[in-house]
């Protein structure tokens, strides 16, 4: 069969009208496709793996003309397609999508998978979206991976740290998580003792204490009192959440309300802290002995800050935080929760990532999390405390 079809092709002379069975005017697209297929079969039998088909003379010109006119007809009818756009234009279009949409369209084809894995693209998406994240923790802090020059790509960092992605993954593993939580519920647990302190207790967000401890709430229920220890320090309430978890909460104020209104900074007349000066004149902030002894019994810390737009984080705020969680007074497994508070939804807030940077909390050598909450409605308080209780029971 091969010998029958190669005679009019392999000759060096141009293929003319007389040598074709049908006149060239009557050749349709189906016949041309069949003709080219036969040529490819012949070349394959002869051991030629090159797919380029070379036909001399008028037939070659006719095929080129047909191909060119067909492409021009498609473009004239439909205009430019997405594949005709330059790479940088495609990346610019993709940059307007969110992370979930980028992951979905990456399955369209190999080219889109490559484009949606671009490191610069994900770096821009990370810089854009991180301003809206409502929680950042010691394992989900993008700045940490960038600081240590991790080998992870920006896409991997985003998917690892994004609260939205972590929530979706938690939903996918909901059955397994509920099973493990049920097993853990049978194990004996100590009621965690939590100490809450910070400048947010003495600013416009101070209502968070009243709403947690004294107002009727479906989220938190008072089930008992906790007596003070270590010279009276540490008295508080025993609270119960809807999921049945119970914890003790002790609120540590830096001074009485009258003193707070008169002093200039938090280190002045502070009932929790004292400033010491060494022989070289270097000042250090440390806990007072009674507070120090109390911190040794604490299972977790809550540090409250006022994250309202325009509020600045002063040096004294950071000094109080690091003095309270000093490794000399509490073990490194004791977690710290930073409540980034605003009075209510009418106030603009400082992004969570800016709170992390301002407090330099990533330098703390213990589990930590910064969570956005509202003092008036207690929005965000339950998931943050659930994380804290869960971390405090890990040894």
């Amino acid at each position: 069969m091969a010998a029958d079809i190669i005679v009019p092709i392999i000759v060096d002379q141009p293929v003319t009208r007389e040598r074709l069975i049908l006149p060239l005017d009557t050749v349709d697209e189906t016949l041309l496709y069949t003709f080219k297929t036969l040529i490819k079969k012949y070349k394959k039998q002869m051991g030629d793996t090159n797919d380029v088909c070379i036909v001399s003379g008028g037939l070659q010109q006719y095929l080129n003309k047909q191909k060119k006119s067909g492409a021009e007809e498609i473009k004239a009818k439909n205009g430019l397609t997405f594949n005709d756009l330059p790479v940088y234009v495609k990346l610019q279009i993709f940059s307007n999508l969110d992370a979930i949409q980028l992951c979905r369209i990456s399955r369209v084809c190999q080219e889109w998978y490559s484009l949606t894995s671009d490191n610069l693209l994900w770096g821009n998406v990370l810089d854009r979206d991180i301003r809206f994240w409502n929680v950042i923790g010691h394992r989900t802090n993008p700045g940490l991976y960038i600081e240590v020059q991790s080998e992870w790509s920006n896409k991997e960092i985003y998917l690892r740290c994004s609260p939205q992605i972590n929530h979706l993954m938690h939903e996918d593993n909901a059955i397994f998580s509920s099973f493990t939580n049920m097993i853990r519920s049978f194990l004996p647990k100590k009621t965690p003792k939590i100490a809450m302190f910070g400048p947010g207790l003495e600013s416009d967000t101070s209502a968070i204490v009243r709403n947690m401890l004294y107002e009727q709430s479906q989220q938190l229920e008072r089930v008992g009192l906790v007596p003070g220890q270590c010279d009276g320090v540490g008295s508080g309430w025993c609270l119960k959440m809807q999921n049945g978890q119970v914890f003790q909460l002790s609120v540590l104020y830096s001074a009485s309300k009258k003193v707070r209104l008169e002093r200039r900074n938090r280190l002045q007349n502070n009932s929790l802290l004292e400033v010491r000066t060494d022989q070289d004149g270097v000042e250090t902030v440390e806990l007072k002995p009674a507070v120090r002894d109390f911190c040794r019994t604490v299972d977790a810390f809550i540090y409250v800050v006022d994250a309202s737009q325009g509020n600045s984080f002063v040096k004294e705020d950071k000094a109080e935080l690091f003095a309270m969680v000093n490794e000399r007074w509490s073990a490194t497994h004791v977690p710290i929760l930073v409540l980034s508070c605003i009075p209510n939804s009418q106030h603009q807030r400082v992004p969570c990532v800016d709170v992390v940077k301002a407090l330099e909390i990533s330098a703390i050598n213990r589990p930590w999390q910064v969570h956005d909450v509202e003092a008036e409605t207690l929005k965000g308080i339950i998931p943050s405390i659930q994380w804290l209780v869960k971390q405090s029971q890990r040894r």
Side-chain angles (χ1 to χ4, degrees):
M1 177 180 178
D4 295 336
I5 65 173
I6 64 174
V7 174
I9 302 171
I10 62 174
V11 295
D12 296 330
Q13 298 178 0
V15 179
T16 63
R17 292 174 181 266
E18 291 76 14
R19 304 186 64 180
L20 293 173
I21 299 176
L22 295 175
L24 191 56
D25 298 337
T26 62
V27 176
D28 58 7
E29 294 293 332
T30 304
L31 184 57
L32 290 175
Y33 176 79
T34 306
F35 185 72
K36 289 186 286 185
T37 303
L38 292 175
I39 294 176
K40 290 181 179 180
K41 289 182 178 180
Y42 164 72
K43 293 169 69 68
K44 185 176 181 180
Q45 288 184 0
M46 297 298 294
D48 188 357
T49 59
N50 189 355
D51 291 336
V52 179
C53 180
I54 301 176
V55 181
S56 59
L59 182 58
Q60 176 68 60
Q61 296 175 2
Y62 176 79
L63 295 176
N64 292 340
K65 183 177 179 180
Q66 288 292 101
K67 182 178 179 181
K68 183 177 180 181
S69 62
E72 291 177 350
E73 182 180 352
I74 293 175
K75 287 189 176 182
K77 183 178 180 180
N78 301 326
L80 289 175
T81 64
F82 184 84
N83 292 332
D84 297 321
L85 298 176
V87 172
Y88 72 91
V89 177
K90 297 177 183 178
L91 291 174
Q92 181 63 35
I93 295 174
F94 287 158
S95 66
N96 296 304
L97 304 178
D98 60 34
I100 296 179
Q101 290 171 334
L102 285 175
C103 292
R104 285 175 178 170
I105 67 172
S106 67
R107 296 178 292 178
V108 172
C109 62
Q110 183 64 34
E111 181 190 12
W112 284 29
Y113 177 82
S114 178
L115 289 174
T116 54
S117 299
D118 182 78
N119 202 50
L120 183 59
L121 171 65
W122 279 95
N124 294 334
V125 174
L126 178 61
D127 293 339
R128 179 195 67 194
D129 292 353
I130 195 175
R131 311 291 299 177
F132 303 97
W133 290 1
N134 65 341
V135 56
I136 296 178
H138 63 288
R139 293 181 178 177
T140 59
N141 180 22
L144 177 62
Y145 296 98
I146 298 174
E147 182 180 349
V148 300
Q149 297 181 349
S150 171
E151 295 182 354
W152 285 17
S153 65
N154 288 329
K155 179 180 179 180
E156 292 172 321
I157 294 175
Y158 188 105
L159 299 180
R160 176 66 178 83
C161 300
S162 169
Q164 182 184 16
I165 302 299
N166 287 327
H167 179 71
L168 293 175
M169 294 178 63
H170 180 74
E171 287 184 344
D172 292 339
N173 298 327
I175 298 179
F176 178 76
S177 299
S178 60
F179 176 75
T180 55
N181 291 335
M182 182 184 66
I183 298 297
R184 290 172 181 170
S185 64
F186 293 108
L187 300 177
K189 295 184 182 67
K190 172 187 174 183
T191 301
K193 183 186 299 183
I194 302 175
M196 185 164 69
F197 65 103
L201 302 180
E202 303 168 6
S203 66
D204 293 338
T205 57
S206 60
I208 190 173
V209 177
R210 181 182 70 252
N211 293 329
M212 288 181 64
L213 299 180
Y214 305 112
E215 297 293 336
Q216 293 294 333
S217 172
Q218 297 181 351
Q219 304 180 67
L220 295 171
E221 178 187 358
R222 298 192 305 270
V223 294
L225 286 170
V226 178
Q229 301 176 358
C230 307
D231 296 336
V233 178
S235 60
W237 289 93
C238 188
L239 302 176
K240 182 179 180 180
M241 292 183 285
Q242 286 183 322
N243 63 356
Q245 290 180 321
V246 179
F247 63 94
Q248 299 177 10
L249 181 65
S250 300
V251 182
L252 305 179
Y253 287 100
S254 64
S256 64
K257 185 176 181 179
K258 180 180 179 181
V259 173
R260 296 200 303 266
L261 294 174
E262 295 177 351
R263 65 184 181 183
R264 296 182 179 180
N265 61 68
R266 290 181 56 79
L267 298 182
Q268 182 182 3
N269 297 326
N270 195 305
S271 59
L272 304 177
L273 309 172
E274 57 184 3
V275 180
R276 293 186 177 183
T277 305
D278 60 16
Q279 298 178 351
D280 299 328
V282 179
E283 293 185 349
T284 57
V285 179
E286 292 190 359
L287 300 181
K288 291 187 175 180
V291 181
R292 188 185 310 164
D293 294 338
F294 172 71
C295 286
R296 290 192 175 100
T297 67
V298 168
D299 300 303
F301 293 98
I302 296 179
Y303 183 67
V304 185
V305 296
D306 189 343
S308 302
Q309 193 72 40
N311 186 42
S312 59
F313 297 93
V314 297
K315 180 180 179 181
E316 290 78 9
D317 296 344
K318 187 170 62 175
E320 179 181 7
L321 171 62
F322 279 81
M324 189 68 71
V325 298
N326 193 303
E327 296 178 9
R328 290 180 294 175
W329 323 131
S330 62
T332 56
H333 65 263
V334 176
I336 171 75
L337 170 66
V338 178
L339 297 182
S340 178
C341 286
I342 56 174
N344 51 58
S345 59
Q346 303 300 322
H347 289 71
Q348 297 292 327
R349 69 163 61 250
V350 176
C352 188
V353 62
D354 289 345
V355 176
V356 173
K357 294 178 181 178
L359 296 177
E360 298 180 5
I361 193 172
S362 58
I364 295 179
N365 185 26
R366 64 180 66 242
W368 60 266
Q369 188 179 92
V370 180
H371 207 296
D372 290 345
V373 298
E374 292 181 11
E376 183 178 295
T377 62
L378 297 182
K379 179 181 178 180
I381 194 70
I382 295 301
S384 60
I385 293 181
Q386 287 177 343
W387 172 87
L388 189 67
V389 171
K390 185 177 180 180
Q391 287 291 326
S392 67
Q393 293 174 343
R394 292 180 177 178
R395 299 287 177 171

